[in-house]
């Protein structure tokens, strides 16, 4: 009951805590500034780390060579081996649970019209593409034993592909979010 959730705030006015919380944290995802900040942060971090290696490390290796180049090659080797080990040991389980989760989110979001599920799906689905690109790139790096300039060039190409996926994902999410805001914002829901 609403009366149980109300209390005096010391000034004589009544505070409805549910209204205050839901006003502060808008539960409609696409009209919430925090969702767009999270979307930007996710894609910023995703394009900053290329196979788990900070992009500035790749640039430093290209500028200075020597020890920076050795550090880059070691870091890439460690991250590629780790990624391929995880994919080899539990890849099928990850794919199975990921498919189940994304199918559930897609059904909840687009069939049952749950906006939060739509928002999470639009954050997660492109990450599956980036994950597949990363596993493929790690396999290519390991199988061809890339090092030096070819490794840096390949890592740069991987970053460009990741940024392209992010650009498409942000564009689709923005279009869908504007559609949702115009449709449901006009209805006052």
């Amino acid at each position: 009951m609403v009366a149980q959730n109300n209390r005096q705030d010391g000034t004589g006015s009544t505070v409805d805590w549910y209204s205050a919380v839901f006003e502060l944290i808008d539960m409609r995802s696409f009209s919430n500034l925090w969702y767009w900040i999270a979307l930007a942060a996710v894609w910023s971090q995703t394009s900053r780390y290329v196979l788990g290696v900070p992009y500035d490390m790749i640039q430093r290796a290209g500028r200075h060579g020597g020890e920076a180049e050795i550090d880059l090659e070691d870091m890439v080797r460690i991250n590629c081996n780790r990624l391929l080990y995880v994919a080899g040991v539990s890849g099928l389980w990850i794919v199975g649970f990921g498919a189940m989760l994304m199918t559930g989110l897609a059904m909840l979001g687009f069939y049952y019209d749950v906006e939060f599920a739509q928002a999470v799906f639009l954050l997660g689905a492109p990450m599956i593409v980036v994950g597949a690109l990363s596993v493929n790139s790690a396999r290519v790096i390991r199988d061809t034993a890339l090092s030096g300039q070819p490794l840096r060039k390949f890592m740069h190409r991987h970053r460009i592909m990741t940024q392209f996926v992010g650009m498409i994902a942000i564009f689709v999410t923005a279009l869908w979010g504007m559609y949702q805001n115009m449709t449901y914002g006009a209805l006052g829901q």
Side-chain angles (χ1 to χ4, degrees):
M1 193 131 233
V2 175
Q4 293 173 342
N5 297 321
N6 294 339
R7 73 170 178 86
Q8 297 294 331
D9 66 354
T11 62
S13 64
T14 303
V15 177
D16 182 6
W17 287 103
Y18 286 128
S19 296
V21 168
F22 285 120
E23 184 178 321
L24 180 65
I25 304 170
D26 185 8
M27 297 310 281
R28 290 195 51 238
S29 301
F30 296 114
S31 63
N32 191 335
L33 177 64
W34 290 108
Y35 175 75
W36 298 105
I37 291 171
L39 181 72
V42 163
W43 283 108
S44 174
Q45 285 298 98
T46 301
S47 67
R48 183 186 175 330
Y49 289 95
V50 183
L51 297 175
V53 178
Y55 190 68
D56 63 288
M57 189 175 191
I58 298 168
Q59 292 175 320
R60 190 171 355 129
R63 280 193 304 267
H64 302 294
E67 190 174 331
E69 188 82 39
I70 293 169
D71 290 346
L72 172 67
E73 290 172 2
D74 289 342
M75 186 92 153
V76 170
R77 180 184 50 78
I78 290 167
N79 285 339
C80 287
N81 288 339
R82 184 180 138 272
L83 184 61
L84 293 173
Y85 175 77
V86 169
V89 170
S90 56
L92 288 176
W93 285 102
I94 292 171
V95 168
F97 282 119
M100 180 185 67
L101 178 67
M102 296 314 287
T103 301
L105 285 171
M107 289 295 295
L108 278 172
F110 299 104
Y111 185 74
Y112 292 108
D113 205 29
V114 176
E115 189 173 320
F116 182 75
Q118 293 171 1
V120 175
F121 179 83
L122 290 171
L123 266 174
M127 288 303 177
I128 292 172
V129 175
V130 171
L133 280 172
S134 296
V135 170
N136 185 51
S137 292
R139 188 167 287 121
V140 168
I141 289 170
R142 186 191 63 187
D143 292 347
T144 59
L146 289 176
S147 63
Q149 166 69 18
L151 175 64
R152 289 193 313 273
K153 189 174 181 181
F154 187 82
M155 297 285 280
H156 180 71
R157 196 172 319 131
H158 177 82
R159 182 176 191 235
I160 295 296
M161 289 187 298
T162 300
Q163 288 175 331
F164 181 73
V165 170
M167 183 179 65
I168 298 297
I170 290 170
F171 180 72
V172 169
T173 303
L175 283 180
W176 186 257
M178 284 187 287
Y179 169 74
Q180 289 293 96
N181 286 336
M182 288 189 313
T183 302
Y184 294 109
L187 299 174
Q189 292 179 351

